[in-house]
C-alpha cells in the first residue's frame, strides 16, 4: 500500500487485467455535492498520487469531492504497462475518470501532470471545467539548450537493460536529488521523503517517467511543446509556479498564460518545484479564490 493522505481513502479499480490505485476524499464537503469534483494528476520521476497531494488533499476535500490515482508505471498501480507520452496519459485520465463516474472535473496537475491536464483540455474540452497547473511541463520548445536537449535525447534512447541499472545506481543518492527540487527541503513532510525514497528503490523505479521522456524528447526540440496550441484552451486556468523552480522553466508558464484567453499566473517567490508543498497556504488560498470565483459566475 502506498502513502495515503489525510482525508482520503484508498481503493483499487480493475482495468485491462491490472489494478489502478485510486484515492478518494472521505470528508463531506461544506459546499454542495453538485460541484464538479477535483481530479488530481501527479508528477513524474518517482512521484505518485499520495506524494504529490499529501499536504493538500484533505483541505481540498473540504470544498468538493476529490479523486486522484496512480498512473500506470507509478506508485501502487500494477499490471499495466507505462503509457508513454502526455497524450496517451490524457486519454487514460479521461477513461478512468468516466469509470469513476466523473463526467466533468476540475483538473489539477503538477509538473508532468500539468502537461497531461493541458492535453486533456485540448483533446476533451467538455470534460474539463477548469485547470489548476503547478509548474506544468510541456511548455518549452527546447530543454535548457540545444546541447542538453541532444544529450537528454541520446540518454533516453538507451535500452531498458542499460537504463534501469544506471537509474538504480543514481537512485542511491535520491535524497540529494529531492533536496535539489525545492528551495528549502526542511519543510517537506518526513512521510513524503520516505515514500519518495521507497519509490526510487523499487526494481522498476522511474519506468513510467522514462517512457514519458522517451515520447517527449526529440533530438533538437521537445515533441510535447504545447506553446503553439495553448491559445485554443478557453478553459479557465490557474498557473501556480515557484520563481526558483530548478526543474521546469517558469518562462513556459509565463508564455502559456499570456496566450490563453482565460488564464492567470501566480509566481511564488522563494519557492522551488513542489509549490504545493513549499507554499501550501498560498496555494490553497489561490485555488479556493479561483474556484469560488468560478462558482459565483
Amino acid at each position: 500500500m502506498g502513502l495515503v493522505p489525510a482525508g482520503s481513502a484508498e481503493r483499487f479499480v480493475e482495468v485491462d487485467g491490472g489494478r489502478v490505485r485510486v484515492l478518494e476524499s472521505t470528508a463531506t464537503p461544506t459546499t454542495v455535492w453538485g460541484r464538479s469534483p477535483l481530479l488530481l494528476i501527479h508528477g513524474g520521476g518517482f512521484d505518485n498520487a499520495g506524494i504529490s497531494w499529501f499536504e493538500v488533499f484533505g483541505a481540498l476535500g473540504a470544498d468538493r469531492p476529490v479523486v486522484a490515482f496512480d498512473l500506470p508505471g507509478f506508485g501502487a498501480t500494477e499490471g499495466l504497462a507505462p503509457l508513454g507520452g502526455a497524450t496517451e496519459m490524457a486519454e487514460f485520465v479521461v477513461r478512468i475518470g468516466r469509470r469513476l463516474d466523473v463526467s466533468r472535473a476540475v483538473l489539477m496537475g503538477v509538473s508532468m501532470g500539468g502537461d497531461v491536464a493541458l492535453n486533456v483540455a485540448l483533446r476533451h474540452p467538455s470534460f474539463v471545467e477548469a485547470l489548476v497547473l503547478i509548474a506544468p511541463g510541456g511548455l518549452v520548445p527546447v530543454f535548457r539548450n540545444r546541447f542538453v536537449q541532444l544529450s537528454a535525447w541520446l540518454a533516453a534512447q538507451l535500452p531498458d537493460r542499460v537504463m534501469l541499472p544506471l537509474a538504480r545506481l543514481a537512485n542511491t543518492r535520491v535524497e540529494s536529488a529531492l533536496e535539489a527540487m525545492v528551495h528549502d527541503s526542511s519543510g517537506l513532510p518526513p512521510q513524503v521523503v520516505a515514500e519518495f525514497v521507497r519509490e526510487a528503490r523499487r526494481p522498476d523505479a522511474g519506468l513510467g517517467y522514462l517512457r514519458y521522456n522517451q515520447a517527449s524528447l526529440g533530438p533538437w526540440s521537445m515533441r510535447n511543446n504545447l506553446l503553439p496550441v495553448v491559445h485554443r484552451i478557453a478553459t479557465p486556468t490557474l498557473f501556480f509556479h515557484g520563481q526558483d523552480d530548478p526543474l521546469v522553466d517558469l518562462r513556459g508558464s509565463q508564455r502559456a498564460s499570456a496566450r490563453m484567453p482565460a488564464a492567470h499566473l501566480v509566481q511564488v517567490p522563494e519557492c522551488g518545484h513542489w509549490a504545493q508543498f513549499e507554499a501550501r497556504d498560498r496555494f490553497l488560498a489561490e485555488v479556493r479564490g479561483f474556484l469560488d470565483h468560478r462558482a459565483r459566475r
Side-chain angles (χ1 to χ4, degrees):
M1 185 175 76
L3 188 63
V4 178
S8 70
E10 178 187 72
R11 70 183 176 105
F12 288 84
V13 176
E14 302 288 334
V15 177
D16 297 337
R19 300 198 315 156
V20 176
R21 183 176 81 127
V22 177
L23 300 174
E24 295 172 308
S25 53
T26 56
T28 301
T30 55
T31 51
V32 295
W33 274 99
R35 287 188 174 185
S36 299
L38 275 167
L39 200 162
L40 314 181
I41 310 171
H42 64 75
F46 310 120
D47 209 347
N48 62 43
I51 292 174
S52 272
W53 312 114
F54 182 80
E55 280 280 79
V56 297
F57 198 107
L60 293 170
D63 297 321
R64 61 175 71 208
V66 181
V67 179
F69 54 84
D70 295 343
L71 289 160
F74 296 88
T77 289
E78 58 186 17
L80 296 170
L83 296 164
T87 56
E88 291 82 3
M89 292 183 189
E91 294 301 322
F92 187 83
V93 166
V94 175
R95 182 183 172 201
I96 295 300
R98 289 173 174 160
R99 179 76 175 270
L100 298 171
D101 296 323
V102 175
S103 59
R104 186 169 169 81
V106 175
L107 293 192
M108 182 180 292
V110 57
S111 195
M112 179 191 79
D115 185 5
V116 175
L118 284 164
N119 275 276
V120 174
L122 283 164
R123 301 166 73 88
H124 299 276
S126 64
F127 185 79
V128 185
E129 177 184 304
L131 291 170
V132 178
L133 307 173
I134 308 161
L139 295 172
V140 293
V142 175
F143 180 53
R144 305 196 187 280
N145 58 59
R146 298 290 182 183
F147 175 75
V148 175
Q149 176 79 41
L150 179 60
S151 299
W153 175 78
L154 289 170
Q157 306 314 302
L158 293 172
D160 289 355
R161 67 178 184 276
V162 175
M163 181 65 79
L164 292 179
L166 287 175
R168 284 194 289 272
L169 180 62
N171 294 348
T172 59
R173 297 186 58 81
V174 68
E175 293 95 335
S176 299
L178 181 59
E179 291 175 0
M181 290 171 51
V182 297
H183 182 72
D184 181 5
S185 63
S186 64
L188 292 177
Q191 306 97 310
V192 167
V193 175
E195 176 78 348
F196 193 86
V197 171
R198 187 190 67 81
E199 285 289 308
R201 291 174 179 169
R202 293 192 313 172
D204 57 350
L207 189 58
Y209 193 52
L210 172 61
R211 294 290 182 262
Y212 169 75
N213 284 327
Q214 289 170 333
S216 302
L217 289 162
W220 313 116
S221 62
M222 297 300 296
R223 293 176 177 144
N224 67 334
N225 177 25
L226 297 176
L227 281 178
V229 296
V230 290
H231 65 277
R232 301 177 190 168
I233 301 176
T235 305
T237 303
L238 172 66
F239 286 83
F240 194 83
H241 207 134
Q243 290 182 347
D244 301 316
D245 189 335
L247 298 185
V248 176
D249 195 333
L250 172 61
R251 290 175 294 181
S253 290
Q254 292 171 334
R255 292 164 180 164
S257 61
R259 298 180 188 188
M260 294 165 64
H264 172 62
L265 169 63
V266 175
Q267 303 180 62
V268 189
E270 297 183 355
C271 180
H273 185 59
W274 266 357
Q276 77 277 23
F277 283 103
E278 300 177 73
R280 176 186 181 273
D281 293 343
R282 173 82 183 273
F283 173 72
L284 290 172
E286 293 287 351
V287 170
R288 288 194 178 110
F290 171 68
L291 295 179
D292 286 348
H293 177 70
R294 288 286 307 146
R296 286 195 299 270
R297 293 187 61 185

